[in-house]
Amino acid sequence: MYVLRRTVGDNLWSRVRTLLLSCLCLAGVLGLASCGGEQQQQEKVFDEAEGAGGAEVKRGVKPEPDAEAAVLEVESGGVSFGRIVIELYPNLAPKMVERFKQLVREGFYDGTAFHRINPRAGVLQGGDPNSKDDDPANDGMGDSPYADLPAEFSDVPFDTGTVGAARQGARPAVAGQPALTEKEAVNTANSQFYITLRRVPGWDAKYTVFGKVIEGMGNAHVIAGAPTRPAPFNESPADKIVIKRATLHPRASFAH
């Protein structure tokens, strides 16, 4: 399954790993991702009591919408992509919902870009402050000024429109960077989020579900289909696609 990280696959470890695998001609055998690719390697199947990294999983809890929904107004070069409306589920992920709403109120997401688009992998990712600059190499590595959040996993599936919290993946120590175990990695959600473009069972109980798109899913698919840069940044839109403004509105204002 494809490991959603807070990087787009272009951090230092990804570069080293990809280079080594390419040199050994094992990338195809192992199914590991290069920058912008998918990881097909099978991972542990977690039992009913635990999620990724042994984290607790809420089961049998029906998502209950928050009183407020988030509205993302998206544009590229002054051309509007319309809006994406997300209902939030504090009964599933109270800490992530609280963080997301806090950052929306503070204007944190205004001017950030959807830095990662991959319809084949089923992901549209944003929320990184680094995406405000013109360097795609640092996209996916940024956070808010606030502390990382713990895993808030549930058995709500990652289906079309599900909004999840991006996080780091486990990694070995490399080039001065400390190792990160999967148990540690599951507790690194912060500001970045992603919209699921299709059913992706491999993400279930491995990432925090905190919302769902209730309006503008067609806009999300259009954004995900935009042209991208050449490799190694082939998940990065060729022309920056920006969240012009993120705001909160009463959930009752929307029909779905």
Side-chain angles (χ1 to χ4, degrees), residues 218-232:
N219 297 333
H221 282 292
V222 171
I223 293 167
T228 57
R229 296 172 182 262

Side-chain angles (χ1 to χ4, degrees), residues 2-4 36-40 116-124 194-200 203 235:
Y2 191 84
V3 178
L4 277 169
E38 289 191 72
Q39 180 181 7
Q40 301 295 337
R116 181 184 181 203
I117 57 175
N118 190 328
R120 187 165 65 95
V123 63
L124 173 62
Y194 61 95
I195 297 170
T196 311
L197 303 174
R198 60 173 176 81
R199 176 75 177 106
V200 187
W203 298 343
E235 287 187 326

Side-chain angles (χ1 to χ4, degrees), residues 13-27 174:
W13 162 239
S14 290
R15 293 178 181 178
V16 173
R17 182 181 66 180
T18 300
L19 178 61
L20 290 174
L21 290 176
S22 297
C23 292
L24 294 172
C25 299
L26 289 176
V174 60

